[in-house]
């Protein structure tokens, strides 16, 4: 079983729509949680950390449910530039990141 | 400022050959990581350096893979007797100290083994 599982999508949405997706993780000792964004043939870049209380960064909202071991990301008012692969990432020690396979989002005009 | 750089950006080699992939971390970053990303998958951890020493090499798939960081800055990932299954993007990341700090990724080296 993979440490981090994600729905691969693709999620194909019109501009202005809201899109949400989540991931599950298997290691209950996981300490830190993140969403990374990866554009085609580019490196992953940190989008946001995810906190237990939930947190927002502009149009992006992340939630963490430790009891059920899942993490979610919601994108409001989607822009064309939001088209990317979103990687769910978990860290359960001081350094090793475990990545999901990614959820592909395509925003169309 | 300069980010993490990796060379070459692309490497095509034949099965059985030896390759070296180089990573230049962000200046002042003591922690360095190598990950491997296969098509359609997320990056997978290979090795973590704190300074010159490999603090965790548990992700290296077998003894054909080896990495060094002799002066605590530039790192080289070495793959002996390459196999077609080694084809992937090899990503390097660095962070200020330990992984508690954000890991910044380089653009990767796309390795193709024919």
């Amino acid at each position: 079983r993979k440490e981090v599982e994600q729905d691969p999508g693709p999620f194909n949405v019109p501009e202005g729509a809201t899109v949400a997706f989540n991931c599950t993780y298997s290691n209950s000792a996981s300490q830190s949680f993140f969403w990374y964004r990866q554009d085609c043939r580019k490196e992953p870049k940190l989008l946001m950390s995810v906190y237990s209380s939930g947190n927002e960064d502009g149009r992006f909202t992340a939630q963490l449910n430790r009891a059920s071991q899942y993490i979610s990301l919601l994108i409001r008012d989607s822009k064309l530039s939001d088209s990317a692969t979103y990687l769910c990432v978990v860290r359960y020690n001081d350094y090793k990141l475990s990545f999901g396979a990614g959820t592909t989002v395509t925003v169309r005009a | 400022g300069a980010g993490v750089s990796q060379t070459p950006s692309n490497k095509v080699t034949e099965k059985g050959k030896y390759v070296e992939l180089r990573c230049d971390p962000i200046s002042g970053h003591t922690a360095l990581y190598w990950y491997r990303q296969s098509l359609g998958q997320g990056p997978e951890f290979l090795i973590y350096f704190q300074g010159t020493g490999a603090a965790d090499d548990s992700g290296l798939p077998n003894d054909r893979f080896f990495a060094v960081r002799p002066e605590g800055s530039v790192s080289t990932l070495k793959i002996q007797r390459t196999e077609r299954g080694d084809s992937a993007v090899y990503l390097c990341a660095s962070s200020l100290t330990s992984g508690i700090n954000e890991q910044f990724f380089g653009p990767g080296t796309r390795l193709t083994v024919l």
Side-chain angles (χ1 to χ4, degrees), chain A residues 2-7 21-27 29-38 43-51 55 62-66 69-73 85-103, chain B residues 33 35 37 41-45 91 93 99-105:
Chain A
K2 290 185 178 179
E3 292 182 12
V4 182
E5 304 253 19
Q6 289 185 252
D7 180 347
F21 43 89
N22 56 38
C23 78
T24 57
Y25 60 94
S26 60
N27 190 332
S30 299
Q31 299 174 355
S32 303
F33 309 89
F34 311 92
W35 284 102
Y36 272 70
R37 172 192 169 125
Q38 187 170 30
E43 70 272 23
K45 292 184 179 178
L46 179 64
L47 177 68
M48 61 194 298
S49 300
V50 186
Y51 304 113
N55 49 296
Q63 297 277 355
L64 167 64
N65 185 318
R66 283 189 183 267
Q69 294 181 206
Y70 82 79
I71 308 154
S72 65
L73 182 66
T85 296
Y86 292 85
L87 299 166
C88 179
V89 185
V90 170
R91 189 179 69 215
Y92 57 86
N93 59 19
D94 285 345
Y95 53 86
K96 187 187 297 186
L97 301 180
S98 293
F99 287 80
T103 297
Chain B
Y33 319 80
Y35 293 83
Q37 186 170 22
Q41 301 299 315
E44 291 181 299
F45 171 84
L91 293 162
I100 297 175
N101 303 118
E102 180 181 350
Q103 295 185 26
F104 294 88
F105 284 81

Side-chain angles (χ1 to χ4, degrees), chain B residues 47-75:
Chain B
I47 187 168
Y48 160 55
F49 286 91
Q50 184 57 255
T52 60
D56 183 351
D57 65 357
S58 63
L60 295 177
N62 51 60
D63 61 7
R64 296 186 297 104
F65 289 74
F66 189 70
V68 295
R69 195 185 184 201
E71 297 177 358
S73 179
V74 170
S75 177

Side-chain angles (χ1 to χ4, degrees), chain B residues 7 22 24 27-29 32 40 42 55 57-58 70 78 87-88 90 92:
Chain B
T7 54
R22 175 187 167 110
D24 270 281
S27 178
H29 281 194
L32 185 146
D57 65 357
S58 63
K78 308 180 181 194
S87 296
Y90 289 81
C92 177

Side-chain angles (χ1 to χ4, degrees), chain B residues 11 13-14 16-21 34 36 46 60-67 76-83 85-88 90 109 111 113:
Chain B
K11 176 70 177 178
T13 191
E14 294 180 342
K17 298 291 188 183
Y18 168 82
V19 296
E20 290 190 351
L21 313 179
W34 284 97
R36 178 169 73 172
L46 295 178
L60 295 177
N62 51 60
D63 61 7
R64 296 186 297 104
F65 289 74
F66 189 70
T76 304
L77 179 66
K78 308 180 181 194
I79 311 174
Q80 298 177 320
R81 304 183 304 281
T82 51
E83 299 178 357
D86 298 335
S87 296
Y90 289 81
T109 293
L111 176 66
V113 182

